[in-house]
Structure formats: C-alpha cells, structure tokens
Amino acid sequence: MGNVLSVGEVLIDFTPYGISDKGDPLFEQNAGGAPANVAAMIAKLGGNAALAAKVGADAFGHSLIRTLQKAGVDASGIRVTEEANTTLAFVHLAGDGDRSFSFYRKPGADALLEEPDISDAMIASADIVHAGSVSMTKEPACGATLSALRRASKAGKVVSFDPNLRESLIEDGEKLLRDIRGILPSVTYLKVAEEELAWLMDEEDEEAACARLKEEYGVPVIVLTRGARGSAFYSDGRLAEVPGFQVKAVDTTGAGDAFWGAFLHQVAESGSAESVFGPGQLTGLLRFANAAGALAVTKRGGIPALPAREEIEKLVK
Ligand code: ADP
C-alpha cells in the first residue's frame, strides 16, 4: 500500500456550538489545518499517512501531536519550535454551516516551517506527497511547502496539490499566483474549487480553464469540487460531473479535506500511484470521495467529523 506524506498547515480551531448562560459563545477545540485533516482521513481509512508541519512548544502543540497520533497519523515529522505559538483559528459559522475564520497568529508556528524541516528521507519514504493551504501559511512555510512538492516530483513521487485559497487571508495575490502556477508542472492530482479555478487561470469558462491547466501546465488529473453538488473531473476536453450526496449540513469545516483524503487514499491503495486513472475509475473514486465529503458536513469540526469507511460505503451503495 502507498505511503502519503502531507505537508503544511496544522492548527487548533475553535468552533462555536452554543451560547453560555451569560450569553457568551461556547467553543469546541479541534485539531485542524487542511493537510492535517487529509492525513487523518487517510489514516482513518486504514492508510499510511505522515504529516510534515510545525507546532509551538506549548500545550496546544502537544495536544495537536497527541490528537494526530491518536488518529493514526505518523507525527514524527511534526517539528516543535520555541519561536512561536501554535496557530489558533476561530471559526465563525453561518446558518447554512458555511464558515469563515479569525486567526491568532503573529505568525503562528506552522508559518515557520522551513525547507530542511521536510527531510529528503521523509520524501523518499512516501509514494504520494500532498500539500495544501499555501495561502494561509506565510513565508518561510509557503516556499518550504512548494519546494517539498518540487523535490518530490524530481524524486519521482506522485504529487497532489490543493491550493485551498481563502481570499481574505491572501496578502500578496500576484506572488501567490506566480508561486502556484510555478508548482503546477510538478502536480499529478490537482484539487480546485470552482472559484479557485477561475482565479488560478483568470478564466470563467471552466472547461477552457481546465484545458489550459492541462496543455500549458501539464496537469494530468484535475478535480473540481462543487460543494453540495458534488465534484467533476476533466477528461477528453470536457468536465465529467460526479453528483454529490444529499445531507443536512451542520458544519462544512473539513469537507474538502475528507473528500481529498478519501480520494488520495484510494489512489495510494491502488498500488499504482503513478498511473493516471481512466474516466470510469475516476468516477468511482470521486463517488467515494463525494460521500466522505458529504458525511463530514453532517458533524461539527474537522478531524472529529471525518467519516469511517463503513459509513462511506453505506452511503455510496
Ligand atoms: P472545498 O471548497 O474545500 O474544495 P467543498 O466544500 O466543495 O470543498 O467540499 C468538498 C466535497 O465535499 C464536495 O465536492 C462534495 O462532494 C462534498 N460536500 C461538500 N459540501 C457538501 C454538502 N453540503 N452536501 C453534500 N456534499 C458536500
């Protein structure tokens, strides 16, 4: 079975779940950060997943390491720094379960991830190297994360990338665009949301944007997420839709990560991580991933909301 190394952001998020007697919001504390969630989803499905990231030498950092270990993730690549506190994120939930974030970071420890923190040995022991959320991690973490993908590609590894952009957190959009476009030639599996695709290619027509991703940047597999509507993949000049599952949305935190973790796990499990799947297989993989994403929105939080294999299989049936 293939090993997945997930690189980048790790944090603790605080999600409101009610109001106290005094009228103050009550928060639930959860481990998160998109690459951490992806690793946890893979581990929950029985796969081998490691995380390369950085936390502070504080109670939150230790709790993150413990939680990820408990989730079955290889946490030996999580570095602990004295230079900053663990990143904390406060979630604002809208009525439909959509969320936005406020961050306590100046900067947080995960933004201090540096190139040497992701060793050649860590990359060598992986079959697939995944990264995401470069917009949320400032320098040096953004550069270190993208460089890990470049090194992985050079070492013949399969590279997966989820830009996971949050517009309000982008400081220098032009630099980020250059950085992301620069990494695309190294990427095998690209996950983008509809708005990200338009931003990334400066093109509203989705099929035209995908055509350019394929022709100009050579991305073999492009997966588009469509929230409750499900997902799509680009094949033979058009987008093939894979409808989503209807569920009651409680909290969309981590849906994209459950989706992508479930997808990557199947790619890794196939034992042929280098192979590029045909349309029939991709439809099957994305149906499974859609079910994982749908189930994740029915529960609060990121990692605690990740579904088990049996739940996914039941929904897919
Ligand atoms: P991201 O914006 O992080 O890419 P999405 O919010 O589109 O992720 O969610 C990822 C996937 O999870 C979707 O493609 C879909 O399969 C599933 N999903 C997300 N939200 C819902 C929802 N409300 N109902 C059903 N499925 C959902």
Side-chain angles (χ1 to χ4, degrees):
M1 191 190 327
N3 298 329
V4 181
L5 172 66
S6 194
V7 182
E9 190 198 21
V10 68
L11 51 82
I12 299 228
D13 66 47
F14 292 81
T15 307
Y17 66 93
I19 302 287
S20 77
D21 295 345
K22 289 189 282 173
D24 298 323
L26 293 167
F27 287 92
E28 198 172 87
Q29 170 186 328
N30 281 310
N37 295 340
V38 166
M41 182 72 249
I42 294 169
K44 186 145 190 185
L45 292 172
N48 298 328
L51 183 69
K54 199 168 252 184
V55 298
D58 48 38
F60 291 120
H62 295 306
S63 135
L64 269 173
I65 292 174
R66 247 193 344 266
T67 304
L68 285 160
Q69 281 171 336
K70 258 184 65 202
V73 174
D74 173 356
S76 58
I78 302 179
R79 309 285 175 233
V80 181
T81 179
E82 301 275 351
E83 286 171 49
N85 294 326
T86 299
T87 303
L88 307 181
F90 296 87
V91 180
H92 306 269
L93 283 183
D96 58 1
D98 254 353
R99 77 287 191 209
S100 57
F101 303 88
S102 303
F103 282 90
Y104 170 75
R105 67 194 328 172
K106 23 178 204 167
D110 67 347
L112 299 184
L113 189 71
E114 290 177 283
E115 212 174 308
D117 291 326
I118 310 150
S119 69
D120 287 340
M122 284 163 78
I123 291 176
S125 63
D127 298 291
I128 301 178
V129 178
H130 165 76
S133 310
V134 284
S135 64
M136 303 173 81
T137 48
K138 300 177 182 168
E139 297 301 348
C142 179
T145 302
L146 295 175
S147 140
L149 294 187
R150 221 167 266 123
R151 286 156 60 205
S153 171
K154 279 202 185 118
K157 308 298 179 182
V158 169
V159 169
S160 151
F161 183 56
D162 171 9
N164 206 5
L165 303 169
R166 306 233 183 273
E167 223 171 311
S168 61
L169 300 170
I170 298 176
E171 284 180 357
D172 183 347
E174 282 183 23
K175 175 188 175 290
L176 186 64
L177 196 56
R178 269 197 313 276
D179 282 349
I180 294 182
R181 286 181 177 171
I183 199 66
L184 291 176
S186 306
V187 175
T188 311
Y189 295 97
L190 176 70
K191 165 188 172 294
V192 278
E194 294 164 319
E195 326 74 66
E196 285 173 337
L197 179 65
W199 179 82
L200 192 57
M201 301 316 290
D202 194 19
E203 166 68 69
E204 290 298 327
D205 183 307
E206 291 179 338
E207 286 178 348
C210 289
R212 281 182 44 219
L213 270 174
K214 195 153 197 144
E215 282 150 25
E216 292 173 28
Y217 296 93
V219 182
V221 182
I222 305 160
V223 173
L224 202 56
T225 51
R226 298 201 188 281
R229 284 174 293 131
S231 55
F233 64 95
Y234 185 68
S235 168
D236 284 335
R238 62 177 203 95
L239 276 164
E241 303 295 329
V242 185
F245 294 89
Q246 233 184 345
V247 291
K248 189 176 178 316
V250 172
D251 173 13
T252 58
T253 307
D257 307 326
F259 169 87
W260 199 240
F263 176 79
L264 281 186
H265 173 64
Q266 296 171 97
V267 172
E269 224 185 13
S270 78
S272 54
E274 276 107 20
S275 76
V276 171
F277 297 95
Q281 282 161 302
L282 273 178
T283 304
L285 301 192
L286 289 178
R287 241 179 91 70
F288 186 85
N290 279 346
L295 289 163
V297 309
T298 63
K299 290 185 197 148
R300 276 202 311 269
I303 292 176
L306 296 174
R309 178 185 288 278
E310 304 74 56
E311 293 175 85
I312 302 174
E313 283 170 352
K314 202 169 140 201
L315 190 58
V316 167
K317 254 193 209 155

